[in-house]
Amino acid sequence: MRLSFQYRLYPLAVQVPCLQAHRSELAFLWNHALAERCDAWTNEHRSIHYLDQQRLLTRWRAYDSDGLGRLSVRVAQDCLQRLDLAFRAFFRRVQQGERPGYPRRRREVDSFTFTPHRHPITRSRNGTWRLKVPKVGELPLRLHRQLPPGAKVKTVTVRYEAGAWFSTLSLEIPDPAPPPREPPHAAVGVDLGLTHLATLSTGESVEPPRYFHVGEARLRKEHRRLSRKRRGSHRYLRQRERLARAHARVRRQRQWFAHQLSHDLAERYDLVAFEDLNAAAMMEGNPLAKGLADAGWGRLREMTEYKETLRSGRCLRVPARGTTQECSRCGRCADPPLKLRDTAYRCPCGYQGDRDVNAARNVLARGMNLLSEELRRSSAEVKRVESRPTRVLGGRKVYQRRRAGSRKREHGIEVGAPFGLPTWTVRLAVPIP
Ligand SMILES: [Zn+2]
């Protein structure tokens, strides 16, 4: 399983210029590679791909030894790969009939990624933790939590965000046990909303914390101040930095809160059901609030999902249609339908309760239905496998079959599955260790 861990970096004063140089040099490389692709197409109708550019990279680096040559090859290659990804995404979306934007020139690149050869975090002699970055050196970092046991660092991304440096470590950890094939011990349904951030089927409701409002008020103020400065002036640029910091602060606060809430849900329940709602289709609230809430909901669901996976629990998404209107006791639809201002749910069957709690209970019921169906299907599958008659083979044939099977496992890799494509096996000349 893949997990990512973030740590704040505290580069030394002598390291900062080198890190900043990475941002501008990578932007130069990006723009150069982009221009080359465009020129090749407009002049010669020839498309250039990543591998062509990777070959050229050696020459570029030799030619520009004071600039590009000072970057690590791995970092430069990653930049070209990202450009390639941008082009692929562009062409894919064109094929799908969308109208995407063409990959753009960049003034600065905010992050760079590399694949470490060895474990990149070390402890220095005075007891502080350091992150090894090629061609930059050892950057001090705050190791606010240890890496999980058995984790292998696959890639490291160094990121600049509003005056601060961060590192993201993408880890490969041993797969946690799959959820047990039995009904959950504690299950909960969650209704996401705008007035209450989340309402649980137990009746609890989660309010947005006070600092959300404080942060947003500050954002508004900084935006207003920026609009009063002359574009491009020193004060304008300084104010832009200040605004970026305020945005980053709010973003981190929201993220922190989503972590707390999802942790709490994952710790208390081994099944959490969310509505699979499409926030863009919701008409309530102003565009800003909608955007913020949208991001918050998506993040909360994603965080809960991976935290449940780590704990061998389940996090389900259920169809959202009608969860507000149905009665959670008898299943009848509200007549007349509930309006946005109605806060209580009353049903002719006698059920009476908060409208959001009613919705959360519906979400939970749908989640349980989904799960029981899944369990029934998987147990039927297990039975089918068990009841299949085993063929008794002997001697040479078994040996050959076993040999063939083991060779396939050793020499083949499965391709396609992670990208949602049909799986097939590719034979490799060299066995994978
Ligand atoms: Zn009812």
Side-chain angles (χ1 to χ4, degrees):
M1 185 188 173
R2 275 289 179 101
L3 266 187
S4 62
F5 271 52
Q6 298 205 27
Y7 295 107
R8 176 131 186 214
L9 296 171
Y10 293 88
L12 305 175
V14 288
Q15 292 168 333
V16 173
C18 183
L19 284 171
Q20 293 289 4
H22 269 71
R23 295 178 65 203
S24 51
E25 287 302 331
L26 285 171
F28 172 76
L29 178 63
W30 172 281
N31 294 337
H32 188 66
L34 176 65
E36 206 203 33
R37 281 183 183 237
C38 297
D39 290 349
W41 182 251
T42 44
N43 300 338
E44 303 164 39
H45 263 264
R46 190 165 57 89
S47 20
I48 299 184
H49 296 287
Y50 167 69
L51 282 177
D52 306 319
Q53 296 201 313
Q54 195 198 325
R55 254 174 248 133
L56 283 172
L57 182 64
T58 318
R59 220 184 300 160
W60 294 344
R61 279 165 49 83
Y63 181 75
D64 185 21
S65 55
D66 286 343
L68 282 179
R70 286 198 183 167
L71 299 182
S72 150
V73 186
R74 286 174 277 164
V75 168
Q77 282 174 351
D78 179 74
C79 179
L80 292 180
Q81 273 170 8
R82 281 199 216 188
L83 179 68
D84 195 54
L85 269 182
F87 268 98
R88 276 170 200 230
F90 171 74
F91 288 125
R92 191 193 62 229
R93 293 180 62 195
V94 169
Q95 269 180 352
Q96 285 171 353
E98 294 172 42
R99 298 187 63 193
Y102 195 75
R104 265 192 275 180
R105 286 176 60 80
R106 301 167 85 166
R107 205 164 19 162
E108 258 157 356
V109 173
D110 285 336
S111 67
F112 60 89
T113 301
F114 63 92
T115 318
H117 288 323
R118 248 175 256 123
H119 190 69
I121 295 182
T122 51
R123 194 162 202 178
S124 69
R125 237 176 285 157
N126 60 7
T128 53
W129 294 96
R130 306 282 167 116
L131 178 75
K132 234 181 180 153
V133 179
K135 303 277 178 170
V136 180
E138 296 188 340
L139 303 177
L141 105 166
R142 163 113 50 208
L143 197 76
H144 64 277
R145 66 160 68 182
Q146 289 288 342
L147 294 178
K152 264 193 205 140
V153 182
K154 289 293 183 183
T155 62
V156 179
T157 301
V158 176
R159 194 177 80 250
Y160 176 81
E161 185 188 298
W165 291 89
F166 297 89
S167 61
T168 305
L169 274 58
S170 175
L171 308 175
E172 178 78 50
I173 60 159
D175 275 337
R181 284 211 324 269
E182 55 188 47
H185 299 292
V188 75
V190 182
D191 176 67
L192 300 167
L194 288 171
T195 35
H196 307 289
L197 216 60
T199 309
L200 308 188
S201 54
T202 52
E204 292 165 68
S205 70
V206 182
E207 300 303 321
R210 176 86 198 119
Y211 52 72
F212 278 18
H213 303 291
V214 176
E216 273 151 31
R218 194 166 153 214
L219 272 186
R220 269 197 299 278
K221 203 159 81 184
E222 300 290 0
H223 265 292
R224 199 161 52 233
R225 279 186 189 155
L226 184 70
S227 71
R228 284 179 190 151
K229 306 261 185 289
R230 191 158 47 83
R231 254 188 107 83
S233 67
H234 274 298
R235 288 181 179 190
Y236 177 87
L237 295 178
R238 217 162 47 203
Q239 181 59 30
R240 203 171 59 179
E241 282 276 302
R242 215 170 281 146
L243 178 65
R245 276 204 297 277
H247 267 294
R249 191 183 159 89
V250 170
R251 202 159 48 233
R252 283 200 287 264
Q253 283 174 340
R254 288 185 170 274
Q255 199 169 6
W256 183 83
F257 184 72
H259 268 303
Q260 302 292 313
L261 185 54
S262 58
H263 175 87
D264 187 49
L265 287 174
E267 280 285 295
R268 278 160 60 195
Y269 304 101
D270 55 354
L271 182 139
V272 181
F274 283 104
E275 294 166 279
D276 198 3
L277 39 79
N278 180 7
M282 292 189 53
M283 64 254 160
E284 203 179 333
N286 64 40
L288 183 70
K290 197 168 65 187
L292 291 173
D294 180 16
W297 291 341
R299 192 180 300 138
L300 180 66
R301 266 193 312 228
E302 274 163 24
M303 286 181 179
T304 316
E305 266 161 19
Y306 89 78
K307 282 172 185 159
E308 282 290 1
T309 310
L310 283 176
R311 290 166 175 77
S312 301
R314 289 183 175 89
C315 180
L316 303 173
R317 294 185 186 203
V318 303
R321 201 179 174 84
T323 43
T324 318
Q325 300 295 338
E326 269 172 30
C327 168
S328 60
R329 188 194 280 172
C330 66
R332 221 177 303 190
C333 259
D335 187 35
L338 247 69
K339 295 217 178 60
L340 281 176
R341 61 168 183 274
D342 296 332
T343 53
Y345 192 96
R346 278 191 196 84
C347 180
C349 78
Y351 176 76
Q352 222 176 45
D354 182 79
R355 124 210 205 115
D356 291 336
V357 175
N358 178 57
R361 284 170 51 144
N362 281 328
V363 170
L364 174 61
R366 288 179 187 194
M368 293 303 274
N369 280 343
L370 218 67
L371 176 67
S372 68
E373 211 168 274
E374 191 191 305
L375 291 180
R376 208 168 40 235
R377 224 181 305 132
S378 70
S379 74
E381 240 161 57
V382 168
K383 264 183 206 139
R384 217 168 40 241
V385 171
E386 280 167 355
S387 65
R388 194 179 291 158
T390 43
R391 282 176 67 189
V392 184
L393 293 169
R396 199 174 168 78
K397 234 176 182 172
V398 172
Y399 175 70
Q400 278 173 349
R401 237 180 225 202
R402 281 194 192 136
R403 284 292 305 162
S406 69
R407 203 160 50 229
K408 206 168 181 182
R409 268 201 302 283
E410 274 171 21
H411 287 244
I413 47 165
E414 290 206 328
V415 181
F419 307 101
L421 300 169
T423 329
W424 67 93
T425 306
V426 177
R427 284 285 174 95
L428 294 178
V430 195
I432 298 172

